[in-house]
Amino acid sequence: MTMRGPTSDLPIVLENVGFSAGASHILHDVSLAIPSGGPTVVIGPNGSGKTTLLRILSGLLVATRGCIAWGTRDAVPERLAIVFQRPTMLRRSAAANLRYALRAAHIPRAAHAKRTAELLALVGLEAFGERPARRLSGGEQQRLALARALARDPTVLLLDEPTASLDPAATKSVEEVIRAVAARGIKVVMTTHDLGAARRLAADVVMLHRGRVLATGPSPVFFSTPPNADVATFLAGDLLL
Amino acid sequence: MGNSDGASAISLVLSADPALMEIVRLSLAVSLSAVFFAALIGIPFGALIALTRFRGRDGVIVLLNALMGLPPVVVGLVVFLALSRSGPLGSWGILFTPQAMVIAQAVLVTPIIAALTRQTVEDLWAEYRDELTAMRVGPAGRVATLIWDARFSLVTTLLAGFGRAAAEVGAIIIVGGNIEGFTRTMTTAIALETSKGDLPLAVGLGIVLIAIVVVINAVAWMARVAGERIAG
Amino acid sequence: MLTRRLTLLAPVSLALVVAIAAPAAAQDKSIVVSSTTSTQDSGLFRHILPLFKAKTGIEVKVVAQGTGQALDTGRRGDADVVFVHARPAEEKFIAEGFGVKRHPVMYNDFVLIGPKGDPAGIKGSRDIVAALTAIKSKGAPFISRGDRSGTHQAELKLWKVAGVDIPAEKEAKKLGPWYKEIGQGMGAALNTAAASGSYVLSDRATWISFKNKSDLVIAVEGDKRLFNQYGVILVNPKKHPNVKADLGQQFIDWLTSPEGQKAIADYKIDGQQLFFPNAVDSNA
């Protein structure tokens, strides 16, 4: 992976973005600018629309209202990768999953062996290369999915609840990878309901509530001085209705 | 095979009777070839239907499923009329040959393989959709990936097709003519021996046929177990 | 990797095509003869065809069907020679222009088969017409092939002589349940008769080689009206240019030659001759 300077895929700017599916309205009037730099963490109660927002950023869902621009373009960048909350392993070995992602990203075949080894090492799965991916534990699969996303050499990396189902040790190692990845200049946008992880990782924070942006702001100010009462309630661990 | 005079088919097998061996060879050659060509057409077709949305898609799926129940004797009749010298494909001159039998059985088996492939691929696509879309895999890549990753279920599909082909007699007896030494298979031989009243021989041949099909299924099962252990 | 797997397909498909095609390629000097199931079931072909092949090198592929179907196969041009036993149908075939010339070859006879218990009381009779009349009047169970075959047509003709118009009675729904049509070949008819204790008209050859006789026996035989004449016809190459006229004619010539006629006469089951060559009989 190479060091990355500012790219033309950022900032990601959303203007009055809304998303409805049938009768349910999931996002309303979301206007945001996601700048280049450290990780942007999206927080909010369950059902606030975090996952939907991420899927729209990745292009898997199309906003039913409003518009989005990724840097200078209004199409999803080629070098954008996403890791889902419950990633699906392809029915093959861990290494083969990575090779598949490399091939899909048009990385030349000659580089595959080296890149696969690097990626496995990055997420701490060197010993698991030949194991069938579906036989890995939940945490290992999450890490493999992360490696798979990084195989694309992305400029933007979207992560949906990357540590939700992980034990503390696995959480720690995944957070280390996220920090390492961000340090190399890859823009990370992640959702989480783990406020501790948010505090540890965020460079700036976006809070959603009932499909709307409640507040945004840089970390750690956002946590030390909540911008409004609702944010304060949520950060205190109380239910926000 | 000669006048059986009560000689059991089992002893014919044990003595590797050449006429019986030829019948077994032809049965396998015809049915395996039919499954092969049916798979060549049916698997990609089924995968395509699974992955594309178009108007009338539900109708196509219903039709495909219904065609799994095509009566063999009707297929035989239609193929016979097509391949007859007086028919549209008469110039091919392949009526009453093993090639005609392969065609008839391929027609019979293709809907089975296509319909079951569609179901299998659609189920796997539901699992893989997000990831493959996120990885920007194009349509050809999707089809190839789904077919390859679903290969063990598809083997079961092929076995279902083979079972249908190996068991049927209605189609191949019409288009093949049950010519001794040339288009006589196990099932048509059983039909013939039954009509000659040689029921013990017919039953014996039936046992041999079932044994062969069981062996093929066992081999496929072992291959699947070994393969799954490797690939997970 | 995908291309590597795809290239496996090529040799596999080639191997399969060759495996099936191989025997076919060896059959270049061959003819297709459509004949009847009863003739094939008698085993006659297995006896005489190797002799013909040894002499001429011509492979004869026999497609055995009912007479109606066999003539139909000739009409479609799917056979080179037709070899059946239904003179009126054969002459119609030639009149329609599908056949070149009809050559008598041999005859065998029909026998009336029935259960040992003989419900119609006709066993041992030499009068087929009286026997059939008895069967109808007593309503004894009777199996008919009902498949437009030569045997079926002969059966209907005999009923007619006995004063029973089966097709007309069927049409008028006056036929009783004692008469059952199964629409299948001779072997199936005998199986059904054995299982249901019925009478059935069979050619002698099929009867002798039939292996499931159970308690069936010959009830009536020897009536001249039970003789069954075979004819062989070359399919008209003017109607179907693909017909192998030369090879087909060689087969016909051999069948009607002294050598072929002797081969037919030599065919015996249990020491009994089944077919009586009569190619020289111009009335046949």
Side-chain angles (χ1 to χ4, degrees):
Chain A
M1 262 175 303
T2 50
M3 283 296 294
R4 202 167 301 291
T7 69
S8 58
D9 298 332
L10 295 160
I12 305 178
V13 177
L14 290 86
E15 270 180 68
N16 305 111
V17 164
F19 185 82
S20 313
S24 51
H25 308 287
I26 301 174
L27 291 178
H28 310 264
D29 226 6
V30 171
S31 294
L32 269 183
I34 300 177
S36 57
T40 298
V41 180
V42 180
I43 59 174
N46 279 343
S48 54
K50 305 194 294 294
T51 295
T52 305
L53 178 63
L54 215 66
R55 288 173 80 92
I56 288 180
L57 291 177
S58 74
L60 268 151
L61 288 178
V62 177
T64 48
R65 248 171 300 122
C67 52
I68 320 176
W70 292 262
T72 52
R73 286 169 296 196
D74 56 9
V76 179
E78 182 64 29
R79 304 271 282 288
L80 180 146
I82 179 169
V83 180
F84 300 102
Q85 183 167 357
R86 266 177 297 254
T88 305
M89 298 293 110
L90 302 181
R91 282 166 168 78
R92 32 190 96 188
S93 71
N97 266 265
L98 293 180
R99 285 194 293 270
Y100 186 88
L102 289 169
R103 209 164 45 237
H106 309 295
I107 310 282
R109 194 175 291 257
H112 283 194
K114 183 156 169 285
R115 296 293 295 268
T116 305
E118 279 173 6
L119 289 163
L120 286 173
L122 180 69
V123 296
L125 291 176
E126 311 93 316
F128 296 83
E130 293 317 306
R131 193 171 303 182
R134 295 168 85 89
R135 302 246 194 89
L136 298 175
S137 72
E140 289 157 356
Q141 288 192 5
Q142 194 82 34
R143 286 188 272 157
L144 184 62
L146 191 48
R148 209 167 51 182
L150 291 170
R152 294 186 67 76
D153 208 12
T155 53
V156 177
L157 180 64
L158 308 175
L159 305 172
D160 195 3
E161 305 271 1
T163 57
S165 46
L166 304 186
D167 63 52
T171 300
K172 180 160 183 285
S173 66
V174 168
E175 286 186 15
E176 272 165 20
V177 176
I178 294 175
R179 246 178 249 118
V181 156
R184 296 191 196 201
I186 298 176
K187 173 67 186 184
V188 173
V189 180
M190 60 177 267
T191 66
T192 186
H193 63 261
D194 179 352
L195 293 176
R199 268 180 231 263
R200 289 189 291 274
L201 294 172
D204 47 86
V205 184
V206 172
M207 176 162 168
L208 292 184
H209 178 45
R210 297 224 206 129
R212 287 175 205 278
V213 176
L214 205 54
T216 71
S219 181
V221 165
F222 191 91
F223 293 102
S224 57
T225 329
N228 64 48
D230 281 344
V231 176
T233 309
F234 181 68
L235 291 180
D238 293 331
L239 290 174
L240 187 63
L241 296 160
Chain B
M1 240 175 312
N3 255 337
S4 68
D5 274 332
S8 75
I10 315 297
S11 66
L12 281 174
V13 172
L14 294 176
S15 64
D17 175 73
L20 178 63
M21 292 301 113
E22 169 56 28
I23 285 181
V24 171
R25 183 204 71 82
L26 184 68
S27 301
L28 291 177
V30 167
S31 295
L32 289 174
S33 305
V35 169
F36 175 76
F37 291 115
L40 220 54
I41 299 171
I43 290 181
F45 185 72
L48 210 69
I49 306 267
L51 294 180
T52 52
R53 295 267 165 281
F54 53 90
R55 229 179 27 174
R57 182 176 185 269
D58 284 347
V60 169
I61 292 175
V62 167
L63 184 65
L64 207 54
N65 289 344
L67 287 176
M68 285 203 282
L70 264 182
V73 71
V74 171
V75 171
L77 187 58
V78 170
V79 174
F80 173 85
L81 291 173
L83 295 179
S84 163
R85 289 283 181 182
S86 309
L89 303 176
S91 51
W92 291 5
I94 56 173
L95 189 62
F96 302 142
T97 65
Q99 286 83 347
M101 297 158 80
V102 172
I103 290 176
Q105 291 203 335
V107 168
L108 210 52
V109 169
T110 300
I112 295 177
I113 292 186
L116 295 179
T117 298
R118 184 209 58 84
Q119 186 65 64
T120 302
V121 167
E122 209 169 300
D123 290 344
L124 191 60
W125 176 236
E127 251 191 77
Y128 276 22
R129 175 191 273 113
D130 278 353
E131 300 289 358
L132 294 193
T133 310
M135 286 195 253
R136 312 273 204 293
V137 178
R142 292 175 187 183
V143 170
T145 303
L146 288 167
I147 290 178
W148 176 251
D149 276 26
R151 60 194 177 285
F152 297 120
S153 305
L154 290 182
V155 164
T156 305
T157 298
L158 294 182
L159 287 174
F162 174 76
R164 179 75 135 116
E168 77 89 21
V169 65
I172 55 177
I173 209 168
I174 295 180
V175 305
N178 198 13
I179 298 172
E180 182 170 7
F182 193 60
T183 55
R184 189 163 294 172
T185 64
M186 300 219 66
T187 49
T188 62
I190 291 171
L192 179 63
E193 295 306 325
T194 304
S195 82
K196 282 160 74 172
D198 194 347
L199 303 183
L201 181 58
V203 169
L205 288 174
I207 292 175
V208 172
L209 175 60
I210 291 175
I212 290 174
V213 174
V214 167
V215 165
I216 290 182
N217 271 271
V219 168
W221 179 256
M222 293 191 299
R224 174 180 184 148
V225 167
E228 278 183 333
R229 210 178 299 129
I230 297 175
Chain C
M1 177 125 96
L2 186 65
T3 39
R4 234 183 296 140
R5 282 181 215 132
L6 279 176
T7 50
L8 255 184
L9 273 180
V12 169
S13 30
L14 198 61
L16 274 171
V17 170
V18 166
I20 323 172
Q27 307 301 356
D28 249 335
K29 204 171 170 197
S30 68
I31 54 170
V32 172
V33 172
S34 69
S35 184
T36 65
T37 49
S38 44
T39 323
Q40 172 173 82
D41 288 355
S42 71
L44 175 69
F45 290 126
R46 194 175 282 146
H47 173 78
I48 65 173
L49 294 184
L51 299 169
F52 177 65
K53 177 158 188 196
K55 174 147 201 238
T56 61
I58 300 174
E59 179 93 31
V60 174
K61 296 187 218 156
V62 174
V63 178
Q65 305 161 311
T67 299
Q69 204 182 349
L71 289 168
D72 214 53
T73 301
R75 272 190 202 94
R76 311 182 138 273
D78 292 323
D80 304 298
V81 171
V82 173
F83 187 9
V84 297
H85 48 98
R87 185 167 181 174
E90 295 166 43
E91 290 175 340
K92 182 156 173 277
F93 184 75
I94 295 191
E96 287 168 351
F98 289 107
V100 175
K101 180 165 147 53
R102 177 182 175 272
H103 305 262
V105 179
M106 63 201 190
Y107 70 88
N108 66 350
D109 62 334
F110 292 114
V111 289
L112 184 68
I113 305 297
K116 215 184 298 185
D118 193 22
I122 53 177
K123 201 157 66 162
S125 163
R126 291 188 77 94
D127 184 340
I128 183 64
V129 169
L132 289 180
T133 310
I135 288 177
K136 175 160 201 274
S137 68
K138 297 216 174 66
F142 185 90
I143 300 291
S144 165
R145 281 181 59 174
D147 62 349
R148 275 200 308 153
S149 60
T151 307
H152 182 222
Q153 291 177 33
E155 179 216 316
L156 293 178
K157 206 158 57 125
L158 289 168
W159 281 113
K160 208 80 186 275
V161 175
V164 183
D165 187 342
I166 297 278
E169 292 207 14
K170 225 175 53 151
E171 189 77 35
K173 300 220 200 302
K174 278 174 51 200
L175 209 49
W178 58 273
Y179 185 88
K180 288 186 171 49
E181 286 187 340
I182 61 167
Q184 292 177 72
M186 200 65 249
L190 285 168
N191 273 333
T192 312
S196 61
S198 308
Y199 290 94
V200 61
L201 189 72
S202 171
D203 60 288
R204 186 185 294 273
T206 307
W207 168 250
I208 293 179
S209 45
F210 187 66
K211 293 186 172 48
N212 187 26
K213 292 184 170 75
S214 90
D215 79 334
L216 294 176
V217 293
I218 295 180
V220 177
E221 61 180 322
D223 189 323
K224 264 211 126 94
R225 289 170 288 202
L226 289 172
F227 284 13
N228 178 34
Q229 177 67 42
Y230 280 74
V232 67
I233 307 172
L234 179 69
V235 176
N236 191 355
K238 292 206 184 72
K239 279 261 187 182
H240 293 287
N242 56 276
V243 167
K244 297 178 183 163
D246 171 53
L247 299 180
Q249 191 60 45
Q250 284 188 53
F251 183 57
I252 293 174
D253 292 340
W254 183 82
L255 277 178
T256 52
S257 71
E259 195 185 320
Q261 297 274 285
K262 178 170 184 306
I264 290 171
D266 282 344
Y267 180 60
K268 293 183 170 56
I269 297 186
D270 291 343
Q272 295 185 63
Q273 180 177 353
L274 295 179
F275 298 94
F276 299 88
N278 66 347
V280 293
D281 184 350
S282 49
N283 286 325

